[in-house]
Amino acid sequence: MPRTLSLNAKIQQLRQFLRQERRLPSYREMLDVFDYRSTNAVSGLVRKLVEHGYLLRDDAGHLAPTSKLSGTVKLLGLVQAGFPAPAEEDEVDVVSLDDYLIRRPEASFLLTVNGDSMIDAGIQPGDLVLVEKGATPRIGQIVVAQVDGEWTLKYYAKDSAGVRLDPANRNYRFIRPRQSLHIGGVVRGVVRKYD
Amino acid sequence: MPRTLSLNAKIQQLRQFLRQERRLPSYREMLDVFDYRSTNAVSGLVRKLVEHGYLLRDDAGHLAPTSKLSGTVKLLGLVQAGFPAPAEEDEVDVVSLDDYLIRRPEASFLLTVNGDSMIDAGIQPGDLVLVEKGATPRIGQIVVAQVDGEWTLKYYAKDSAGVRLDPANRNYRFIRPRQSLHIGGVVRGVVRKYD
DNA sequence: CTTGATGGTGAACGATTGTTCAGTTATGGG
DNA sequence: CCCATAACTGAACAATCGTTCACCATCAAG
């Protein structure tokens, strides 16, 4: 059989360009990226990348990177399973944290947690909560709510007396809205960064 | 003075195209996006977008979106401060979770937490830990380590007897490596998603 | 109301784009 | 070793790219 090319090396090179330039290279720029000398070679490679789902071609023929290409983190299994062998590292899924966490970008906000009232829910001071503004909360979900003029982070609950906002900390008591209750949004995720 | 255009509306339209097509539109495609009829109008708008930091122009003149444009979440302040008024909503920072959390994409992995041994550190079963593989741990940091053949998530500590791996749960005891200790990576962040 | 600057139209330009074709090179299976 | 075939070279192509020009429209300040 004829000579075969290793896609993985090419994909790595393309990823690097994508990260640095934040765009896809043109075919002539790919000459440098892939160390080719003919744009026809690029054309063939691009066709393969489309076949393998790294690039997407729209109706007009324009190319765009898929999340498989532009993803920034390799998604593995359980901590117990550890890391894959270098040989298998090319086959793991690559995801984007944005795509993973955010469903409605236009309604999504990040807020910094300041109290410890949700500590038993694993939400610590300094954490960022990803909030979907305007969403309708279900019971048991965590909401950002304005109660009697003050914004807080609490579990959304209901009982015979109506809506109740529960903290996740035994040292705090639940809140019962007196005058007003305004649900700002529903917490869809939590992000913590260590420095 | 002459008539003024509202950049914010244009930026929204551009963001929508960017999310759907995963690439920047060409000038003629921008005619539709911005409802223009001359590519000269597009040219002027692009120049403004570059000036305001939404687009980046490299040495060769190629355009690329900045994180200010391609960011997916609006970064606000403390939970206490609540949400901005709709009028001020255009002025908040827009960030990408990938850019925020990930420094070295090529060495970054996501692992699913399965035990509750780090629960007091706010890391629950089902959470994803963002691990930077191969990084050297400092004392007090959380690491993914292989101790005597088994992979675990623990605090990295040292005492007079050498390296010690501490859980964040009173029901568990610290681990002292007997035969082998292999630090897989350092935990740089935690991501939790609610369904 | 006039004026000046900004936003926009319409059309033309050379440059760059991706495609295509004929031909060459390299390599793994028989 | 040889051969079939995928990978690649080099060059030409029309199509599309972003830039630029002259000119018109609009609107706020004086």
Side-chain angles (χ1 to χ4, degrees):
Chain A
M1 277 295 163
R3 52 178 166 166
T4 54
L5 62 76
S6 77
L7 266 188
N8 289 327
K10 308 289 182 186
I11 291 166
Q12 290 300 327
Q13 295 166 320
L14 188 52
R15 279 218 180 92
Q16 191 180 338
F17 187 99
L18 207 58
R19 280 202 267 268
Q20 284 187 9
E21 305 288 330
R22 306 185 67 92
R23 62 178 176 87
L24 279 184
S26 71
Y27 278 37
R28 319 235 167 202
E29 287 175 316
M30 290 192 202
L31 292 181
D32 285 336
V33 174
F34 299 129
D35 197 32
Y36 282 154
R37 237 153 292 184
S38 167
T39 54
N40 183 31
V42 174
S43 182
L45 177 60
V46 165
R47 191 157 19 83
K48 288 218 157 185
L49 290 174
V50 171
E51 285 174 7
H52 286 76
Y54 291 98
L55 293 175
L56 208 66
R57 179 159 246 145
D58 67 9
D59 302 332
H62 290 112
L63 288 176
T66 63
S67 62
K68 201 172 175 181
L69 186 68
S70 63
T72 45
V73 229
K74 295 157 210 74
L75 181 60
L76 306 179
L78 297 175
V79 168
Q80 289 181 331
F83 295 93
E88 305 163 1
E89 204 167 285
D90 296 321
E91 299 164 15
V92 303
D93 277 346
V94 180
V95 297
S96 155
L97 288 178
D98 293 283
D99 293 347
Y100 174 74
L101 275 181
I102 303 169
R103 297 189 187 182
R104 300 185 53 233
E106 69 282 2
S108 294
F109 295 82
L110 285 175
L111 288 167
T112 304
V113 177
N114 46 309
D116 61 347
S117 70
M118 295 301 285
I119 197 94
D120 288 341
I123 300 179
Q124 305 177 330
D127 288 359
L128 295 179
V129 284
L130 177 69
V131 182
E132 186 178 318
K133 192 179 172 185
T136 306
R138 291 198 303 268
I139 293 171
Q141 289 184 323
I142 300 171
V143 296
V144 174
Q146 190 178 31
V147 191
D148 301 328
E150 200 165 330
W151 286 99
T152 48
L153 189 68
K154 294 285 182 301
Y155 277 116
Y156 182 76
K158 280 184 184 175
D159 57 19
S160 56
V163 172
R164 202 184 63 214
L165 296 177
D166 290 334
N169 187 332
R170 294 172 207 84
N171 301 326
Y172 291 79
R173 293 192 57 187
F174 65 81
I175 297 179
R176 181 83 65 187
R178 301 181 187 282
Q179 283 93 30
S180 67
L181 169 65
H182 173 230
I183 304 294
V186 177
V187 173
R188 298 294 188 202
V190 179
V191 173
R192 184 181 308 140
K193 181 184 181 182
Y194 298 110
D195 289 306
Chain B
M1 278 293 162
R3 52 178 167 169
T4 54
L5 61 76
S6 78
L7 266 187
N8 290 326
K10 309 288 181 186
I11 290 166
Q12 289 302 326
Q13 295 166 320
L14 188 52
R15 280 217 179 93
Q16 190 180 338
F17 187 100
L18 207 59
R19 288 202 196 102
Q20 283 187 8
E21 305 288 330
R22 307 184 67 93
R23 62 178 175 85
L24 278 184
S26 71
Y27 278 38
R28 316 231 172 206
E29 287 175 316
M30 290 193 202
L31 292 181
D32 284 337
V33 173
F34 299 129
D35 196 33
Y36 282 154
R37 236 154 292 186
S38 168
T39 54
N40 182 34
V42 174
S43 183
L45 177 59
V46 165
R47 188 156 26 82
K48 286 219 156 185
L49 290 174
V50 171
E51 284 174 8
H52 286 75
Y54 292 98
L55 293 174
L56 210 66
R57 180 160 246 142
D58 67 8
D59 302 331
H62 291 110
L63 288 176
T66 63
S67 62
K68 201 172 174 183
L69 187 68
S70 63
T72 45
V73 228
K74 293 158 212 75
L75 181 60
L76 305 180
L78 297 175
V79 168
Q80 289 181 331
F83 295 93
E88 305 163 2
E89 205 167 284
D90 297 321
E91 299 164 16
V92 303
D93 278 347
V94 181
V95 298
S96 155
L97 288 177
D98 292 280
D99 293 346
Y100 174 74
L101 275 180
I102 303 169
R103 296 188 188 184
R104 300 185 54 233
E106 68 283 359
S108 293
F109 295 84
L110 284 174
L111 289 167
T112 305
V113 177
N114 45 307
D116 61 349
S117 70
M118 294 301 285
I119 197 93
D120 288 340
I123 301 179
Q124 306 177 330
D127 287 359
L128 295 179
V129 283
L130 176 69
V131 183
E132 186 178 318
K133 193 179 173 185
T136 307
R138 291 199 303 268
I139 293 173
Q141 288 184 324
I142 301 172
V143 296
V144 174
Q146 191 179 31
V147 190
D148 301 330
E150 201 165 331
W151 286 100
T152 49
L153 189 67
K154 294 284 181 301
Y155 276 115
Y156 182 76
K158 280 184 183 174
D159 57 18
S160 56
V163 172
R164 201 185 63 210
L165 297 176
D166 290 334
N169 186 331
R170 296 173 204 82
N171 302 324
Y172 292 78
R173 293 193 55 187
F174 66 82
I175 296 178
R176 182 83 66 188
R178 300 182 187 280
Q179 281 93 32
S180 66
L181 169 66
H182 173 229
I183 304 293
V186 176
V187 173
R188 299 293 188 202
V190 179
V191 174
R192 184 181 309 141
K193 181 184 179 182
Y194 299 110
D195 291 305

